[in-house]
Amino acid sequence: MVNGDRPEAWPLIERFGVDAIPHLALISADGDVETALIGPVPKSVLERDLDVLLSNAAAQNGDVSSVQQPLPYQMLDVFANRPDLRRIKFNLD
Protein backbone atom coordinates (compact mmCIF):
# COMPACT_ATOMS: atom_id res chain seq x y z
CA MET A 1 0.00 0.00 0.00
CA VAL A 2 1.36 3.38 -1.01
CA ASN A 3 0.07 6.66 0.38
CA GLY A 4 -0.22 8.93 -2.67
CA ASP A 5 -0.28 12.03 -0.45
CA ARG A 6 3.32 11.51 0.67
CA PRO A 7 6.06 13.11 -1.46
CA GLU A 8 8.34 10.07 -1.11
CA ALA A 9 5.68 8.00 -2.92
CA TRP A 10 6.05 9.92 -6.21
CA PRO A 11 8.68 7.62 -7.74
CA LEU A 12 6.30 4.65 -7.34
CA ILE A 13 3.30 6.65 -8.52
CA GLU A 14 5.15 7.68 -11.67
CA ARG A 15 6.65 4.22 -12.24
CA PHE A 16 3.24 2.51 -12.12
CA GLY A 17 1.46 5.24 -14.10
CA VAL A 18 -1.01 5.99 -11.33
CA ASP A 19 -3.53 8.62 -12.37
CA ALA A 20 -6.49 7.53 -10.25
CA ILE A 21 -6.93 6.12 -6.76
CA PRO A 22 -7.41 3.36 -5.87
CA HIS A 23 -4.98 1.85 -8.38
CA LEU A 24 -4.13 -1.81 -7.90
CA ALA A 25 -1.29 -3.14 -10.05
CA LEU A 26 -1.35 -6.93 -10.49
CA ILE A 27 2.16 -8.30 -10.96
CA SER A 28 3.13 -11.78 -12.18
CA ALA A 29 5.67 -14.00 -10.43
CA ASP A 30 8.19 -12.81 -13.06
CA GLY A 31 7.63 -9.20 -12.01
CA ASP A 32 5.60 -8.20 -15.07
CA VAL A 33 2.73 -5.80 -14.49
CA GLU A 34 -0.18 -7.71 -16.00
CA THR A 35 -2.88 -5.08 -15.49
CA ALA A 36 -4.03 -2.29 -13.23
CA LEU A 37 -7.48 -2.27 -11.69
CA ILE A 38 -8.77 1.25 -11.08
CA GLY A 39 -11.49 2.27 -8.65
CA PRO A 40 -13.59 -0.02 -6.50
CA VAL A 41 -13.11 -3.63 -7.61
CA PRO A 42 -15.63 -6.34 -6.74
CA LYS A 43 -14.23 -9.11 -4.56
CA SER A 44 -15.09 -11.72 -7.19
CA VAL A 45 -13.02 -9.90 -9.85
CA LEU A 46 -10.00 -9.61 -7.59
CA GLU A 47 -10.29 -13.25 -6.47
CA ARG A 48 -10.41 -14.56 -10.05
CA ASP A 49 -7.42 -12.47 -11.15
CA LEU A 50 -5.41 -13.48 -8.07
CA ASP A 51 -6.31 -17.15 -8.60
CA VAL A 52 -4.93 -16.94 -12.15
CA LEU A 53 -1.74 -15.20 -10.98
CA LEU A 54 -1.20 -17.94 -8.37
CA SER A 55 -1.92 -20.68 -10.89
CA ASN A 56 0.51 -19.13 -13.37
CA ALA A 57 3.17 -18.90 -10.66
CA ALA A 58 2.68 -22.59 -9.88
CA ALA A 59 3.03 -23.44 -13.58
CA GLN A 60 6.22 -21.42 -13.73
CA ASN A 61 7.58 -23.37 -10.76
CA GLY A 62 7.27 -26.70 -12.52
CA ASP A 63 3.72 -27.78 -11.81
CA VAL A 64 3.03 -29.45 -15.16
CA SER A 65 -0.71 -29.62 -14.51
CA SER A 66 -0.92 -25.82 -14.74
CA VAL A 67 -0.94 -23.83 -17.97
CA GLN A 68 -0.27 -20.09 -18.21
CA GLN A 69 -3.58 -18.27 -18.48
CA PRO A 70 -4.41 -14.62 -19.18
CA LEU A 71 -6.09 -12.67 -16.41
CA PRO A 72 -9.87 -12.89 -16.78
CA TYR A 73 -10.29 -9.22 -15.84
CA GLN A 74 -7.95 -6.66 -17.34
CA MET A 75 -8.56 -2.96 -17.12
CA LEU A 76 -5.58 -0.70 -17.74
CA ASP A 77 -2.30 -1.53 -19.44
CA VAL A 78 -0.11 1.36 -18.34
CA PHE A 79 2.80 -0.15 -20.24
CA ALA A 80 1.10 -0.72 -23.62
CA ASN A 81 3.31 1.97 -25.17
CA ARG A 82 6.29 1.23 -22.90
CA PRO A 83 6.68 -2.58 -22.83
CA ASP A 84 10.32 -2.28 -21.77
CA LEU A 85 9.14 -0.84 -18.43
CA ARG A 86 6.59 -3.60 -17.74
CA ARG A 87 9.00 -5.69 -15.60
CA ILE A 88 9.23 -4.43 -12.03
CA LYS A 89 12.09 -5.29 -9.69
CA PHE A 90 11.88 -4.73 -5.97
CA ASN A 91 14.82 -4.61 -3.61
CA LEU A 92 13.64 -6.57 -0.59
CA ASP A 93 16.71 -5.84 1.50
Side-chain angles (χ1 to χ4, degrees):
M1 181 79 84
V2 174
N3 182 343
D5 293 330
R6 301 187 66 159
E8 59 270 19
W10 275 103
L12 277 176
I13 290 169
E14 290 176 345
R15 179 67 174 91
F16 282 93
V18 175
D19 61 0
I21 297 175
H23 176 113
L24 178 63
L26 297 181
I27 303 171
S28 72
D30 287 333
D32 292 331
V33 177
E34 298 291 334
T35 192
L37 302 176
I38 310 300
V41 177
K43 179 181 176 182
S44 61
V45 168
L46 187 55
E47 283 177 337
R48 289 201 49 211
D49 273 357
L50 291 175
D51 285 345
V52 168
L53 286 172
L54 291 170
S55 176
N56 288 346
Q60 177 183 345
N61 290 326
D63 181 354
V64 294
S65 66
S66 297
V67 176
Q68 294 283 326
Q69 299 290 322
L71 295 179
Y73 297 99
Q74 298 183 29
M75 187 178 285
L76 175 64
D77 185 355
V78 174
F79 302 101
N81 295 322
R82 308 176 296 166
D84 55 313
L85 297 178
R86 183 176 303 281
R87 177 131 322 158
I88 304 294
K89 295 185 183 192
F90 292 99
N91 183 359
L92 301 177
D93 295 334

